[in-house]
Amino acid sequence: MIAEPVPLGRAESLVAERGPTALRIAVGGQLRKLREECGITREAAGDHIRGSHAKISRLELGRTGFKERDIRDLLTLYHVSDPEQREMFLDLVRKANQPGWWHRYSDLLPPWFETYLGLEHAAKSIRSFEGQLVPGLLQTDDYARAVVALGHENSETARRVELRRKRQEILGRRGGPTLWAVIDEAVLHRPVGGNEVLRAQILHLLEMAGRGNITIQVLPYAAGGHAAAGSSFTMLRFAEPELPDIVYIEQLTSALYLDRQQDLELYRQVMDRLSVQAEPPERSRKILEIVAAELL
């Protein structure tokens, strides 16, 4: 007998809206629960599917796609014999294996960023610090177009901007994530795209800051030095307790995904300190209004 294979019924639709990565996480978490209820080690489960304990770990964390043969074999090992329950589980596996909406842009995306898009779409909360540019989830089309032009001199600018706009839809999605962004004041004075584009961007930040699921803080020059100097990073948290937070740090040609406990604790401390050093949300709104007025 399976004890609720994954969040089903009304909850399943919410998980599905968060994309295939969220479903993989949910299905993987259920696989872990089934294995533990049977008292089976990762090593034994790995041997059963002609794999390793590391493969079982990746499956249980939702870090990789599922092979139906492996899942059928694991369900048998975990004493899930009811045909209806097995098929229900396998149906969710098929859904979890479907490509995300970003797949249609795969020709534009390096593999390491496709991974981030899946995690971002599945996240429950997003906290970010940006020292150079407005966070992608808060960019206007014109600002995004100017940012894209900095690193991509080709004819795909429109699709890249479209991709960024598509990412932003998660902020208005039912059950979507909260976003807490700390932005260095220098970002507000860097005229990416020119003063007119920058002013429209700042007005957009003011509008977005009025949403209940978005918090924007400005880290002022007066704060002096800070623990994240020279760096920008994003912390993702998930609804599934079995998946640890992830710190994402983007580089020019690659990205880092940190999930070791000591790394997470360090970045949590840094983010908390930045949030204290930054102006509170209401005062940050005043700063945005002043900068926008100066750009007239």
Side-chain angles (χ1 to χ4, degrees):
M1 183 81 180
I2 262 188
E4 294 287 325
V6 291
L8 296 174
R10 47 187 191 175
E12 181 191 0
S13 62
L14 289 175
V15 175
E17 283 183 22
R18 289 164 52 219
T21 302
L23 271 178
R24 282 204 306 271
I25 293 168
V27 171
Q30 186 60 34
L31 286 172
R32 178 184 59 79
K33 290 176 185 176
L34 289 170
R35 177 180 59 76
E36 291 177 346
E37 286 173 3
C38 293
I40 297 172
T41 65
R42 287 194 180 94
E43 288 77 9
D47 289 343
H48 191 73
I49 62 169
R50 305 153 297 278
S52 65
H53 69 91
K55 179 176 180 178
I56 295 298
S57 180
R58 289 194 299 271
L59 288 173
E60 293 180 352
L61 289 173
R63 299 281 177 83
T64 186
F66 303 111
K67 292 182 179 178
E68 283 196 39
R69 185 183 71 168
D70 288 343
I71 303 305
R72 289 181 189 277
D73 289 346
L74 287 174
L75 291 178
T76 299
L77 178 65
Y78 301 154
H79 311 302
V80 180
S81 56
D82 182 272
E84 184 177 343
Q85 291 183 333
R86 288 173 66 93
E87 187 54 36
M88 181 169 54
F89 200 101
L90 289 167
D91 182 58
L92 290 170
V93 164
R94 295 179 195 111
K95 291 178 181 177
N97 281 338
Q98 291 175 359
W101 61 261
W102 52 90
H103 182 70
R104 71 178 72 107
Y105 301 96
S106 60
D107 58 313
L108 303 177
L109 300 172
W112 49 265
F113 192 63
E114 284 195 65
T115 299
Y116 175 75
L117 290 179
L119 293 170
E120 181 182 75
H121 201 71
K124 175 184 178 182
S125 69
I126 302 169
R127 296 182 71 184
S128 69
F129 170 71
E130 280 291 346
Q132 302 295 327
L133 300 167
V134 171
L137 289 176
L138 297 173
Q139 292 179 5
T140 64
D141 282 3
D142 286 339
Y143 188 95
R145 193 172 293 110
V147 171
V148 168
L150 295 175
H152 302 280
E153 297 180 5
N154 57 41
S155 60
E156 296 291 351
T157 297
R159 288 183 65 219
R160 292 183 186 278
V161 173
E162 181 183 281
L163 168 62
R164 198 153 304 194
R165 189 188 314 123
K166 187 73 175 173
R167 282 176 58 198
Q168 296 170 357
E169 291 179 5
I170 63 172
L171 297 176
R173 186 185 69 207
R174 181 177 61 135
T178 57
L179 173 63
W180 185 352
V182 177
I183 302 173
D184 195 288
E185 185 177 356
V187 173
L188 308 181
H189 298 283
R190 182 171 290 110
V192 176
N195 286 351
E196 187 175 339
V197 169
L198 178 60
R199 182 172 184 275
Q201 174 64 73
I202 292 173
L203 292 176
H204 180 67
L205 289 177
L206 280 165
E207 179 184 346
M208 298 298 283
R211 293 192 182 185
N213 62 329
I214 297 176
T215 300
I216 296 175
Q217 290 184 266
V218 175
L219 182 66
Y221 291 136
H226 57 81
S231 176
S232 297
F233 64 94
T234 299
M235 293 191 71
L236 303 174
R237 176 163 289 180
F238 307 89
E240 293 73 19
E242 54 272 358
L243 189 69
D245 294 357
I246 291 177
V247 172
Y248 172 76
I249 305 171
E250 189 169 319
Q251 302 169 330
L252 286 178
T253 58
S254 63
L256 297 176
Y257 292 86
L258 308 179
D259 61 5
R260 292 191 308 170
Q261 191 56 44
Q262 56 265 47
D263 293 329
L264 294 176
E265 187 56 35
L266 172 63
Y267 276 89
R268 285 192 197 103
Q269 292 176 7
V270 170
M271 184 63 84
D272 288 344
R273 285 161 59 187
L274 290 170
S275 299
V276 171
Q277 284 183 281
E279 295 288 357
E282 281 305 312
R283 175 57 188 160
S284 294
R285 287 180 62 88
K286 294 294 184 184
I287 293 174
L288 292 172
E289 290 170 355
I290 291 170
V291 174
E294 291 174 348
L295 289 169
L296 276 173

